[in-house]
Amino acid sequence: GAVVSQHPSRVICKSGTSVKIECRSLDFQATTMFWYRQFPKQSLMLMATSNEGSKATYEQGVEKDKFLINHASLTLSTLTVTSAHPEDSSFYICSARDLGPSNQPQHFGDGTRLSIL
Amino acid sequence: EDQVTQSPEALRLQEGESSSLNCSYTVSGLRGLFWYRQDPGKGPEFLFTLYSAGEEKEKERLKATLTKKESFLHITAPKPEDSATYLCAVQATTGFQKLVFGTGTRLLVSP
């Protein structure tokens, strides 16, 4: 149980392109999903918290107009990197938490490797 | 500010050589401490949640313990398939469900 699917697994595109990443909880419902960014040999850094049916909460320093988040259902959240540039190249990972107490574990997707040329 | 420090940064073990990974944390109030395993190019895989000092959890060759300042992940008689990066994260009683991660311990178990 508690499977999170993330798609695509890898994207290579030109500078200026917008890229959409999908995160789905396959066998549970998630009112809250999370988007992280991870640089090589570094920790996961939370970018934003996505709540179903409401606006996402962004961490300090994360541009909400650059990283658009939509959480339209209890099983799907999307992250769109708008007008991506080489500095946006990174490993993006989503997670989802099952309904219930907020200290239940987050379950992670397998990440999306984004490379902007 | 909530912080998590993991040590060592990297650890090489021979198969069967038991050891422990450390996670030291400072947090305003602990809601939960989480251990994850991450393989290269993959997302973290959930291992354990610990909620209060003195608590212990076990799964196969892994055992996690918790004190008020740190957590240990004990690996007994490791196998090569235990090679991965082990991540520790804390969730504070404030901060709206946010997890603060350490930078992980890269474990390599040689046959």
Side-chain angles (χ1 to χ4, degrees), chain A residues 38 43 59 97 102 106 109, chain B residues 36 38 91 97-98 101-102:
Chain A
Q38 187 177 34
S43 181
E59 293 299 300
R97 189 179 59 78
S102 63
Q106 296 177 20
Chain B
Y36 288 86
Q38 186 175 24
Q91 183 183 27
Q97 310 176 65
K98 175 180 176 178
F101 279 88

Side-chain angles (χ1 to χ4, degrees), chain B residues 28-86:
Chain B
S28 49
L30 183 67
R31 188 184 295 272
L33 184 141
F34 302 84
W35 281 98
Y36 288 86
R37 168 193 171 129
Q38 186 175 24
D39 292 301
K42 299 290 186 182
E45 174 188 347
F46 171 69
L47 294 174
F48 302 109
T49 308
L50 301 167
Y51 296 106
S52 58
E55 190 175 359
E56 298 183 353
K57 294 261 178 88
E58 280 190 72
K59 179 180 179 180
E60 296 180 354
R61 295 178 293 281
L62 300 177
K63 179 180 177 179
T65 62
L66 180 65
T67 72
K68 289 186 177 180
K69 293 183 179 181
E70 57 191 351
S71 176
F72 290 94
L73 184 65
H74 306 279
I75 303 177
T76 303
K79 297 181 178 181
E81 53 262 41
D82 295 322
S83 298
T85 296
Y86 290 85

Side-chain angles (χ1 to χ4, degrees), chain A residues 31-111:
Chain A
T31 53
T32 307
M33 290 184 172
F34 304 85
W35 289 95
Y36 294 83
R37 186 170 177 175
Q38 187 177 34
F39 291 104
K41 296 187 179 181
Q42 291 190 25
S43 181
L44 277 79
M45 298 299 296
L46 180 66
M47 299 175 64
T49 302
S50 166
N51 296 292
E52 186 264 338
S54 64
K55 291 183 179 180
T57 303
Y58 290 82
E59 293 299 300
Q60 192 172 11
V62 177
E63 300 176 58
K64 60 182 178 182
D65 294 331
K66 175 76 170 174
F67 299 99
L68 300 179
I69 291 172
N70 183 274
H71 192 158
S73 77
L74 286 173
T75 59
L76 174 65
S77 176
T78 61
L79 168 69
T80 301
V81 184
T82 61
S83 186
H85 292 283
E87 58 267 27
D88 298 321
S89 298
S90 189
F91 191 50
Y92 293 86
I93 312 176
C94 72
S95 72
R97 189 179 59 78
D98 203 344
L99 301 178
S102 63
N103 58 357
Q104 288 196 89
Q106 296 177 20
H107 298 282
F108 287 81
D110 273 342

Side-chain angles (χ1 to χ4, degrees), chain B residues 83-96:
Chain B
S83 298
T85 296
Y86 290 85
L87 299 170
C88 172
V90 296
Q91 183 183 27
T93 51
T94 57
F96 191 58

